[in-house]
Amino acid sequence: MIKPELLAPAGDFERLKIALLYGADAVYVGGTFNLRANADNFTITEIEKGVKYAHELGKKVYVTVNIALHNKELNEIMEYLKSLDKIGVDAIIVSDPAIINLARKNTSLVIHLSTQASTINKEAVEFWKNEGVSRIVLARECDMGDIKTIKDNVDVELETFVHGAMCASYSGRCVLSNYLTARDSNRGGCSQICRWDFDLYEEDEHLKGEKPFTFCTKDLSLIKHIPELMELEVDSLKIEGRMRSSYYIATIIKVYRMVIDKYWNNPQGYEYNLEYEQVLRRCANRDSVPQFFNGYFGKDAQYYNGRVETTNQDFLGTVLEYDENTRLMKLEQRNYFKKGDNVTIFGPLDEFDFIISEIYDENMLEIDIVRHPKQIVYIKVPKLVKKDYMMKKNLTNNYNSSNMLES
């Protein structure tokens, strides 16, 4: 058994810092040529800043260069690859064979194959290895047996997604967005057609059901299957979500970090706790399932008859500063809260609950309610907190956070 890398998404530098702080071993970011055109993508200068920050912590940065390339972009991408090589990124994530070829001939960049290549069998893995790829990001359609067969037969690093959104097509090979909205999903412009509601017709007859038809997939979550993935010796466990919030990233990474470490430190004594799932579920607005991993993929892994995506206001704010003398923490608000609320403060390794007894505005005038977006307030807290800790609703009715940390 090997201890896998925990790989986190980072949509900007702040989320990069949060991901590494809360337990990620590496992050992946998007620059010029990536499949998240609507994200806050990194400039070369920002990538260099992120690489320096990560390397100081002994951690890694991978850059997604995973679009389908056109001839007109060949010269531009050459300069881009050379820039990434110069600043020392730890790898690029690529799907187009042309980019692999250019990177091999003109740079010393380490190459990871994107999940966009839809790699699900050992022969394909062997082919890409011979093309100079050092790690394969497996297609999300791989089940446990596929992963084992590949691992047993090809000596190459394997990375697999363990949490986040899924694609209704075959690992992203979709043209619906192009057809209906002229936005190219294979160049970062997916308009997520699969999540639209549709009317169904049989010839001219409108088929009406209880809810509109959709073919949106449920999200992926393999938190329950981390021990199996570790026993399979998968090298990297990947979280999806470069457009997700800092709160989402902190929460998801913290839980997966906890589970990986607990199993690694004591595999014989490890016990799965359903509270892990409950924590993760509160961060997303879609149901999550193991998808293809356990071999039972079917109708229950998708939404066919509509869905309800509910959001919550659990995330209350981010800690900016803490004064040990006054025990006041400076907080940037994210959702409404008030004096008397039962809340939870959490950081990478600890968390605690308390009831808010004192709140002050920026002028140190006492207030009872915090209702303005990104309002800066000061709150008296009973224990030491640090910058970049977060405050959320106390969700004791849904799970016992202190037990989760001890289990």
Side-chain angles (χ1 to χ4, degrees):
M1 183 172 69
I2 62 173
K3 190 172 188 180
E5 169 188 86
L6 179 57
L7 177 56
D12 57 25
F13 184 72
E14 287 305 310
R15 282 173 281 182
L16 179 148
K17 291 198 302 182
I18 290 295
L20 297 178
L21 174 65
Y22 278 79
D25 300 301
V27 295
Y28 61 101
V29 306
T32 307
F33 299 94
N34 81 100
L35 289 182
R36 287 293 182 270
N38 296 321
D40 295 326
N41 292 308
F42 285 66
T43 64
I44 282 292
T45 301
E46 289 168 336
I47 293 174
E48 185 173 16
K49 180 181 176 183
V51 168
K52 181 179 179 182
Y53 180 84
H55 287 181
E56 288 175 351
L57 299 174
K59 301 189 177 187
K60 297 181 179 181
V61 175
Y62 309 137
V63 179
T64 57
V65 193
N66 54 352
I67 67 164
L69 197 67
H70 286 264
N71 285 316
K72 62 184 179 181
E73 295 161 329
L74 288 172
N75 290 333
E76 186 180 353
I77 200 165
M78 271 302 311
E79 294 305 312
Y80 183 64
L81 292 174
K82 289 178 180 178
S83 296
L84 294 178
D85 192 19
K86 183 178 179 180
I87 64 180
V89 303
D90 296 282
I92 55 172
I93 305 172
V94 178
S95 62
D96 192 321
I99 301 176
I100 295 174
N101 191 43
L102 291 171
R104 286 186 64 190
K105 288 182 177 180
N106 299 281
T107 75
S108 58
L109 288 164
V110 174
I111 302 169
H112 295 174
L113 187 72
S114 170
T115 191
Q116 297 296 120
S118 304
T119 311
I120 59 173
N121 66 76
K122 63 180 182 180
E123 293 297 330
V125 171
E126 184 72 42
F127 170 83
W128 289 115
K129 177 187 174 184
N130 292 335
E131 290 298 307
V133 172
S134 64
R135 176 185 291 186
I136 306 293
V137 186
L138 293 170
R140 290 173 172 89
E141 291 76 21
C142 283
D143 63 25
M144 186 163 52
D146 293 326
I147 298 173
K148 177 172 172 49
T149 298
I150 292 169
K151 192 68 180 179
D152 289 346
N153 286 277
V154 189
D155 183 18
V156 68
E157 289 186 10
L158 297 182
E159 177 178 308
T160 187
F161 279 93
V162 294
H163 199 90
M166 292 285 290
C167 181
S169 185
Y170 209 93
S171 278
R173 296 191 174 198
C174 180
V175 295
L176 279 174
S177 181
N178 302 54
Y179 182 74
L180 293 174
T181 67
R183 288 171 51 181
D184 192 341
S185 58
N186 296 302
R187 290 177 61 80
C190 182
S191 50
Q192 301 182 331
I193 305 299
C194 56
R195 295 179 187 172
W196 292 10
D197 291 335
F198 291 90
D199 292 323
L200 289 183
Y201 289 85
E202 183 174 357
E203 295 182 348
D204 293 330
E205 181 185 358
H206 185 194
L207 304 178
K208 294 184 178 181
E210 293 181 4
K211 299 178 181 178
F213 175 79
T214 178
F215 52 98
C216 173
T217 60
K218 295 180 181 178
D219 282 357
L220 168 70
S221 179
L222 293 182
I223 189 67
K224 189 174 183 178
H225 299 283
I226 294 302
E228 291 102 307
L229 286 161
M230 291 175 67
E231 294 295 339
L232 286 170
E233 298 195 334
V234 173
D235 298 274
S236 181
L237 306 182
K238 188 172 193 173
I239 309 297
E240 181 275 337
R242 277 188 287 135
M243 297 179 72
R244 301 277 195 167
S245 70
S246 295
Y247 172 69
Y248 176 92
I249 291 169
T251 304
I252 303 299
I253 293 301
K254 179 175 179 176
V255 172
Y256 275 88
R257 176 81 277 154
M258 187 188 313
V259 173
I260 291 168
D261 290 349
K262 283 181 179 296
Y263 188 75
W264 175 258
N265 292 330
N266 186 13
Q268 288 76 28
Y270 174 81
E271 293 183 4
Y272 183 69
N273 192 330
L274 283 174
E275 291 166 4
Y276 303 142
E277 294 180 18
Q278 294 171 322
V279 176
L280 297 176
R281 192 176 297 121
R282 295 289 303 189
C283 276
N285 55 12
R286 287 187 295 273
D287 295 334
S288 58
V289 294
Q291 292 291 347
F292 293 89
F293 182 78
N294 56 16
Y296 297 108
F297 180 85
K299 64 181 179 62
D300 292 335
Q302 293 185 248
Y303 295 102
Y304 288 111
N305 294 309
R307 67 195 188 280
V308 176
E309 293 190 0
T310 57
T311 59
N312 60 57
Q313 286 77 47
D314 291 348
F315 180 31
L316 302 180
T318 301
V319 177
L320 302 178
E321 297 174 6
Y322 175 73
D323 188 321
E324 293 188 44
N325 295 321
T326 63
R327 289 195 171 183
L328 287 175
M329 93 179 157
K330 185 179 181 181
L331 187 89
E332 185 178 74
Q333 181 258 26
R334 285 297 184 275
N335 282 295
Y336 168 94
F337 63 89
K338 63 186 185 304
K339 188 186 294 187
D341 281 353
N342 196 333
V343 300
T344 300
I345 297 285
F346 72 97
L349 300 175
D350 59 342
E351 61 184 66
F352 62 90
D353 304 329
F354 73 102
I355 295 174
I356 297 175
S357 60
E358 297 178 35
I359 308 174
Y360 302 90
D361 66 13
E362 286 190 272
N363 298 315
M364 296 309 296
L365 298 175
E366 191 164 6
I367 57 176
D368 294 331
I369 298 172
V370 183
R371 56 163 62 96
H372 305 298
K374 293 194 174 183
Q375 183 176 355
I376 303 298
V377 295
Y378 294 84
I379 302 172
K380 178 146 288 192
V381 294
K383 295 183 180 181
L384 173 69
V385 297
K386 298 179 181 179
K387 185 180 184 302
D388 294 321
Y389 276 32
M390 299 186 186
M391 189 171 83
K392 64 181 179 180
K393 292 179 181 178
N394 185 340
L395 305 174
T396 305
N397 292 334
N398 296 291
Y399 62 90
N400 188 310
S401 57
S402 60
N403 286 345
M404 185 194 77
L405 289 170
E406 296 169 359
S407 62

